Short mmCIF file of all heavy atoms in Angstrom, two decimals:
data_model
loop_
_atom_site.label_atom_id
_atom_site.label_comp_id
_atom_site.label_asym_id
_atom_site.label_seq_id
_atom_site.Cartn_x
_atom_site.Cartn_y
_atom_site.Cartn_z
N ALA C 156 83.15 93.05 102.81
CA ALA C 156 83.58 92.53 101.51
C ALA C 156 83.74 91.01 101.50
O ALA C 156 83.73 90.40 100.43
CB ALA C 156 84.88 93.20 101.10
N LYS C 157 83.89 90.40 102.67
CA LYS C 157 84.10 88.95 102.70
C LYS C 157 82.82 88.18 102.97
O LYS C 157 82.84 86.95 103.08
CB LYS C 157 85.16 88.60 103.75
CG LYS C 157 86.57 89.08 103.36
CD LYS C 157 87.61 88.62 104.37
CE LYS C 157 88.99 89.08 103.96
NZ LYS C 157 90.03 88.65 104.93
N GLY C 158 81.72 88.89 103.10
CA GLY C 158 80.43 88.23 103.27
C GLY C 158 79.89 87.71 101.96
O GLY C 158 80.48 87.87 100.90
N PHE C 159 78.72 87.09 102.03
CA PHE C 159 78.09 86.50 100.85
C PHE C 159 77.91 87.51 99.72
O PHE C 159 78.37 87.33 98.60
CB PHE C 159 76.76 85.87 101.27
CG PHE C 159 75.84 85.52 100.16
CD1 PHE C 159 76.28 84.80 99.06
CD2 PHE C 159 74.50 85.89 100.20
CE1 PHE C 159 75.43 84.46 98.03
CE2 PHE C 159 73.63 85.55 99.18
CZ PHE C 159 74.10 84.85 98.08
N VAL C 160 77.23 88.62 100.02
CA VAL C 160 77.01 89.64 99.01
C VAL C 160 78.32 90.29 98.61
O VAL C 160 78.60 90.52 97.42
CB VAL C 160 75.99 90.69 99.49
CG1 VAL C 160 75.84 91.81 98.45
CG2 VAL C 160 74.64 90.04 99.77
N GLY C 161 79.14 90.60 99.60
CA GLY C 161 80.42 91.28 99.33
C GLY C 161 81.31 90.50 98.39
O GLY C 161 81.91 91.09 97.45
N LYS C 162 81.43 89.19 98.59
CA LYS C 162 82.30 88.39 97.70
C LYS C 162 81.79 88.39 96.27
O LYS C 162 82.57 88.53 95.32
CB LYS C 162 82.38 86.95 98.23
CG LYS C 162 83.26 86.79 99.45
CD LYS C 162 83.53 85.32 99.78
CE LYS C 162 82.29 84.63 100.26
NZ LYS C 162 82.60 83.22 100.71
N ASN C 163 80.48 88.26 96.09
CA ASN C 163 79.92 88.26 94.74
C ASN C 163 80.04 89.62 94.10
O ASN C 163 80.35 89.74 92.90
CB ASN C 163 78.44 87.82 94.80
CG ASN C 163 78.28 86.33 94.88
OD1 ASN C 163 78.25 85.63 93.87
ND2 ASN C 163 78.16 85.82 96.09
N LEU C 164 79.81 90.69 94.87
CA LEU C 164 79.86 92.04 94.30
C LEU C 164 81.29 92.39 93.95
O LEU C 164 81.56 92.94 92.85
CB LEU C 164 79.29 93.04 95.30
CG LEU C 164 79.10 94.46 94.81
CD1 LEU C 164 78.21 94.49 93.58
CD2 LEU C 164 78.52 95.34 95.90
N CYS C 165 82.25 92.08 94.83
CA CYS C 165 83.65 92.39 94.53
C CYS C 165 84.13 91.59 93.33
O CYS C 165 84.93 92.12 92.51
CB CYS C 165 84.51 92.09 95.75
SG CYS C 165 84.33 93.32 97.10
N ALA C 166 83.68 90.37 93.17
CA ALA C 166 84.06 89.58 91.99
C ALA C 166 83.57 90.25 90.71
O ALA C 166 84.29 90.29 89.70
CB ALA C 166 83.51 88.16 92.10
N ALA C 167 82.35 90.79 90.75
CA ALA C 167 81.80 91.49 89.58
C ALA C 167 82.59 92.77 89.31
O ALA C 167 82.89 93.07 88.14
CB ALA C 167 80.33 91.84 89.84
N PHE C 168 82.94 93.50 90.36
CA PHE C 168 83.73 94.73 90.18
C PHE C 168 85.10 94.41 89.55
O PHE C 168 85.59 95.11 88.67
CB PHE C 168 83.92 95.43 91.50
CG PHE C 168 82.70 96.08 92.08
CD1 PHE C 168 82.59 96.31 93.44
CD2 PHE C 168 81.65 96.46 91.25
CE1 PHE C 168 81.44 96.92 93.97
CE2 PHE C 168 80.52 97.06 91.76
CZ PHE C 168 80.41 97.29 93.14
N LYS C 169 85.72 93.32 90.02
CA LYS C 169 87.04 92.96 89.51
C LYS C 169 86.98 92.54 88.05
O LYS C 169 87.89 92.84 87.26
CB LYS C 169 87.63 91.82 90.36
CG LYS C 169 88.02 92.29 91.76
CD LYS C 169 88.39 91.14 92.67
CE LYS C 169 88.67 91.62 94.09
NZ LYS C 169 88.96 90.50 95.02
N ASN C 170 85.90 91.87 87.67
CA ASN C 170 85.74 91.50 86.26
C ASN C 170 85.64 92.73 85.37
O ASN C 170 86.17 92.74 84.24
CB ASN C 170 84.52 90.61 86.07
CG ASN C 170 84.76 89.19 86.53
OD1 ASN C 170 85.90 88.72 86.56
ND2 ASN C 170 83.69 88.48 86.89
N ILE C 171 84.96 93.76 85.85
CA ILE C 171 84.86 95.01 85.10
C ILE C 171 86.21 95.73 85.10
O ILE C 171 86.70 96.21 84.05
CB ILE C 171 83.75 95.90 85.66
CG1 ILE C 171 82.38 95.23 85.44
CG2 ILE C 171 83.78 97.28 85.03
CD1 ILE C 171 81.24 95.95 86.10
N ARG C 172 86.82 95.81 86.28
CA ARG C 172 88.13 96.46 86.39
C ARG C 172 89.15 95.85 85.45
O ARG C 172 89.92 96.56 84.78
CB ARG C 172 88.62 96.37 87.83
CG ARG C 172 89.99 97.04 88.06
CD ARG C 172 90.59 96.55 89.38
NE ARG C 172 90.87 95.11 89.35
CZ ARG C 172 91.22 94.41 90.43
NH1 ARG C 172 91.33 95.00 91.61
NH2 ARG C 172 91.45 93.12 90.32
N ASP C 173 89.16 94.53 85.40
CA ASP C 173 90.15 93.80 84.59
C ASP C 173 89.70 93.59 83.16
O ASP C 173 90.35 92.85 82.40
CB ASP C 173 90.43 92.44 85.24
CG ASP C 173 91.00 92.59 86.66
OD1 ASP C 173 91.52 93.67 86.99
OD2 ASP C 173 90.88 91.61 87.43
N GLN C 174 88.57 94.19 82.77
CA GLN C 174 88.02 94.14 81.43
C GLN C 174 87.70 92.71 80.98
O GLN C 174 87.69 92.41 79.79
CB GLN C 174 88.98 94.80 80.44
CG GLN C 174 89.21 96.28 80.71
CD GLN C 174 90.02 96.98 79.63
OE1 GLN C 174 90.46 96.38 78.68
NE2 GLN C 174 90.22 98.28 79.80
N LYS C 175 87.36 91.86 81.95
CA LYS C 175 86.83 90.54 81.62
C LYS C 175 85.35 90.62 81.33
O LYS C 175 84.79 89.80 80.58
CB LYS C 175 87.10 89.57 82.77
CG LYS C 175 88.57 89.34 83.08
CD LYS C 175 88.74 88.48 84.31
CE LYS C 175 90.21 88.29 84.66
NZ LYS C 175 90.37 87.47 85.90
N ASP C 176 84.69 91.59 81.94
CA ASP C 176 83.27 91.87 81.71
C ASP C 176 83.18 93.19 80.97
O ASP C 176 83.49 94.24 81.52
CB ASP C 176 82.53 91.95 83.03
CG ASP C 176 81.04 92.23 82.86
OD1 ASP C 176 80.59 92.50 81.72
OD2 ASP C 176 80.30 92.20 83.87
N LYS C 177 82.76 93.12 79.71
CA LYS C 177 82.67 94.32 78.89
C LYS C 177 81.22 94.68 78.57
O LYS C 177 80.95 95.39 77.60
CB LYS C 177 83.47 94.10 77.59
CG LYS C 177 84.94 93.85 77.83
CD LYS C 177 85.72 93.65 76.53
CE LYS C 177 87.19 93.38 76.82
NZ LYS C 177 87.96 93.20 75.55
N THR C 178 80.30 94.23 79.42
CA THR C 178 78.89 94.48 79.17
C THR C 178 78.45 95.87 79.62
O THR C 178 77.33 96.28 79.32
CB THR C 178 78.01 93.44 79.88
OG1 THR C 178 78.24 93.53 81.30
CG2 THR C 178 78.35 92.03 79.40
N ARG C 179 79.31 96.56 80.35
CA ARG C 179 78.99 97.93 80.79
C ARG C 179 80.13 98.86 80.39
O ARG C 179 80.95 99.25 81.21
CB ARG C 179 78.77 97.96 82.31
CG ARG C 179 77.53 97.16 82.73
CD ARG C 179 77.25 97.23 84.20
NE ARG C 179 76.10 96.41 84.55
CZ ARG C 179 74.90 96.89 84.89
NH1 ARG C 179 74.68 98.20 84.89
NH2 ARG C 179 73.91 96.08 85.20
N PRO C 180 80.15 99.22 79.10
CA PRO C 180 81.27 100.00 78.57
C PRO C 180 81.41 101.38 79.20
O PRO C 180 82.50 101.97 79.16
CB PRO C 180 80.94 100.10 77.07
CG PRO C 180 79.47 99.86 76.98
CD PRO C 180 79.16 98.90 78.06
N GLY C 181 80.33 101.91 79.76
CA GLY C 181 80.40 103.23 80.37
C GLY C 181 80.92 103.23 81.79
O GLY C 181 81.07 104.29 82.41
N LEU C 182 81.21 102.04 82.33
CA LEU C 182 81.62 101.91 83.71
C LEU C 182 83.10 101.59 83.78
O LEU C 182 83.57 100.59 83.22
CB LEU C 182 80.81 100.83 84.40
CG LEU C 182 80.84 100.74 85.93
CD1 LEU C 182 80.41 102.04 86.55
CD2 LEU C 182 79.93 99.60 86.38
N SER C 183 83.88 102.44 84.47
CA SER C 183 85.32 102.25 84.61
C SER C 183 85.65 102.15 86.10
O SER C 183 85.36 103.06 86.85
CB SER C 183 86.09 103.39 83.97
OG SER C 183 87.47 103.25 84.16
N ILE C 184 86.24 101.03 86.49
CA ILE C 184 86.59 100.82 87.90
C ILE C 184 88.12 100.70 87.98
O ILE C 184 88.73 99.86 87.33
CB ILE C 184 85.93 99.55 88.44
CG1 ILE C 184 84.40 99.71 88.41
CG2 ILE C 184 86.40 99.26 89.86
CD1 ILE C 184 83.64 98.47 88.84
N ASP C 185 88.71 101.56 88.79
CA ASP C 185 90.17 101.59 88.95
C ASP C 185 90.63 100.80 90.16
O ASP C 185 91.58 100.01 90.09
CB ASP C 185 90.67 103.02 89.04
CG ASP C 185 90.24 103.87 87.85
OD1 ASP C 185 90.50 103.42 86.71
OD2 ASP C 185 89.67 104.95 88.06
N GLU C 186 89.97 101.05 91.31
CA GLU C 186 90.37 100.39 92.54
C GLU C 186 89.14 99.93 93.33
O GLU C 186 88.10 100.57 93.29
CB GLU C 186 91.20 101.34 93.42
CG GLU C 186 92.56 101.67 92.89
CD GLU C 186 93.40 102.48 93.88
OE1 GLU C 186 93.85 101.90 94.89
OE2 GLU C 186 93.55 103.69 93.66
N ILE C 187 89.32 98.82 94.05
CA ILE C 187 88.27 98.28 94.90
C ILE C 187 88.85 98.14 96.31
O ILE C 187 89.80 97.38 96.53
CB ILE C 187 87.78 96.91 94.42
CG1 ILE C 187 87.32 97.00 92.94
CG2 ILE C 187 86.65 96.37 95.29
CD1 ILE C 187 87.36 95.69 92.21
N PHE C 188 88.32 98.90 97.24
CA PHE C 188 88.78 98.85 98.64
C PHE C 188 87.88 97.89 99.39
O PHE C 188 86.70 98.17 99.62
CB PHE C 188 88.74 100.24 99.28
CG PHE C 188 89.48 101.29 98.51
CD1 PHE C 188 88.89 102.51 98.19
CD2 PHE C 188 90.80 101.09 98.09
CE1 PHE C 188 89.58 103.48 97.50
CE2 PHE C 188 91.51 102.06 97.39
CZ PHE C 188 90.89 103.26 97.10
N GLU C 189 88.43 96.76 99.80
CA GLU C 189 87.66 95.73 100.50
C GLU C 189 87.90 95.87 102.01
O GLU C 189 89.01 95.67 102.49
CB GLU C 189 88.05 94.35 100.00
CG GLU C 189 87.83 94.16 98.52
CD GLU C 189 88.16 92.76 98.04
OE1 GLU C 189 87.86 91.79 98.76
OE2 GLU C 189 88.76 92.65 96.93
N TYR C 190 86.81 96.18 102.74
CA TYR C 190 86.92 96.37 104.18
C TYR C 190 86.06 95.33 104.89
O TYR C 190 84.89 95.15 104.56
CB TYR C 190 86.44 97.78 104.58
CG TYR C 190 86.76 98.17 106.00
CD1 TYR C 190 87.93 98.83 106.31
CD2 TYR C 190 85.89 97.86 107.04
CE1 TYR C 190 88.24 99.19 107.61
CE2 TYR C 190 86.18 98.20 108.36
CZ TYR C 190 87.38 98.85 108.64
OH TYR C 190 87.66 99.20 109.93
N ASP C 191 86.68 94.65 105.87
CA ASP C 191 85.93 93.62 106.62
C ASP C 191 86.46 93.58 108.05
O ASP C 191 87.30 94.41 108.46
CB ASP C 191 86.07 92.26 105.93
CG ASP C 191 84.81 91.41 106.13
OD1 ASP C 191 84.64 90.85 107.20
OD2 ASP C 191 84.02 91.31 105.18
N LEU C 192 86.01 92.61 108.82
CA LEU C 192 86.36 92.56 110.24
C LEU C 192 87.85 92.47 110.49
O LEU C 192 88.35 92.98 111.49
CB LEU C 192 85.65 91.33 110.88
CG LEU C 192 84.14 91.44 111.09
CD1 LEU C 192 83.59 90.10 111.57
CD2 LEU C 192 83.81 92.56 112.09
N ASP C 193 88.58 91.83 109.58
CA ASP C 193 90.02 91.64 109.79
C ASP C 193 90.85 92.74 109.13
O ASP C 193 92.09 92.65 109.10
CB ASP C 193 90.45 90.27 109.28
CG ASP C 193 90.17 90.07 107.81
OD1 ASP C 193 89.50 90.94 107.19
OD2 ASP C 193 90.56 89.01 107.25
N THR C 194 90.20 93.78 108.62
CA THR C 194 90.93 94.89 108.01
C THR C 194 91.42 95.83 109.10
O THR C 194 90.70 96.11 110.07
CB THR C 194 90.03 95.66 107.03
OG1 THR C 194 89.46 94.76 106.07
CG2 THR C 194 90.82 96.73 106.29
N ALA C 195 92.62 96.32 108.96
CA ALA C 195 93.18 97.27 109.94
C ALA C 195 92.25 98.49 110.01
O ALA C 195 91.93 99.08 108.97
CB ALA C 195 94.58 97.69 109.53
N PRO C 196 91.82 98.88 111.21
CA PRO C 196 90.86 100.00 111.35
C PRO C 196 91.29 101.29 110.68
O PRO C 196 90.45 102.02 110.15
CB PRO C 196 90.75 100.17 112.88
CG PRO C 196 91.11 98.83 113.44
CD PRO C 196 92.15 98.27 112.51
N GLU C 197 92.60 101.56 110.67
CA GLU C 197 93.07 102.82 110.07
C GLU C 197 92.83 102.84 108.57
O GLU C 197 92.85 103.93 107.97
CB GLU C 197 94.55 103.03 110.38
CG GLU C 197 95.48 101.94 109.88
CD GLU C 197 95.73 100.85 110.93
OE1 GLU C 197 94.90 100.73 111.86
OE2 GLU C 197 96.75 100.14 110.78
N ARG C 198 92.59 101.69 107.96
CA ARG C 198 92.30 101.67 106.54
C ARG C 198 90.99 102.37 106.21
O ARG C 198 90.80 102.87 105.09
CB ARG C 198 92.23 100.22 106.04
CG ARG C 198 93.57 99.49 106.02
CD ARG C 198 94.46 100.04 104.95
NE ARG C 198 95.65 99.22 104.77
CZ ARG C 198 96.65 99.53 103.97
NH1 ARG C 198 96.59 100.65 103.26
NH2 ARG C 198 97.71 98.76 103.87
N LEU C 199 90.07 102.40 107.17
CA LEU C 199 88.78 103.04 106.89
C LEU C 199 88.95 104.50 106.55
O LEU C 199 88.29 105.01 105.63
CB LEU C 199 87.85 102.87 108.10
CG LEU C 199 86.41 103.31 107.88
CD1 LEU C 199 85.76 102.48 106.77
CD2 LEU C 199 85.59 103.19 109.16
N ASP C 200 89.85 105.21 107.25
CA ASP C 200 90.11 106.62 106.93
C ASP C 200 90.66 106.75 105.52
O ASP C 200 90.24 107.61 104.74
CB ASP C 200 91.11 107.21 107.94
CG ASP C 200 90.45 107.58 109.25
OD1 ASP C 200 89.79 108.61 109.32
OD2 ASP C 200 90.57 106.79 110.22
N GLU C 201 91.61 105.89 105.19
CA GLU C 201 92.22 105.95 103.86
C GLU C 201 91.19 105.67 102.77
O GLU C 201 91.12 106.42 101.78
CB GLU C 201 93.34 104.91 103.77
CG GLU C 201 93.97 104.79 102.41
CD GLU C 201 94.90 103.56 102.29
OE1 GLU C 201 95.26 103.00 103.34
OE2 GLU C 201 95.23 103.20 101.15
#
């Protein structure tokens, strides 16, 4: 999630989640789980 593609993609997801981007009315995003090298390994199971 902290890589080049990940940062851009997560930013797009957050805009939709927060209803800043309303160009995809059929898409509803509630939570975004960002996993990267510094994420606690046990988070992957969750």
Side-chain angles (χ1 to χ4, degrees):
K157 292 184 179 180
F159 166 48
V160 176
K162 285 191 291 186
N163 280 274
L164 188 57
C165 286
F168 290 156
K169 290 171 184 176
N170 283 336
I171 293 173
R172 180 197 63 190
D173 300 339
Q174 298 187 358
K175 298 175 183 178
D176 180 353
K177 299 181 181 181
T178 61
R179 294 182 183 253
L182 194 56
S183 177
I184 297 176
D185 304 308
E186 291 187 73
I187 305 156
F188 305 129
E189 300 182 40
Y190 191 92
D191 213 283
L192 288 173
D193 59 354
T194 307
E197 59 268 21
R198 290 290 189 185
L199 189 61
D200 281 282
E201 175 191 345

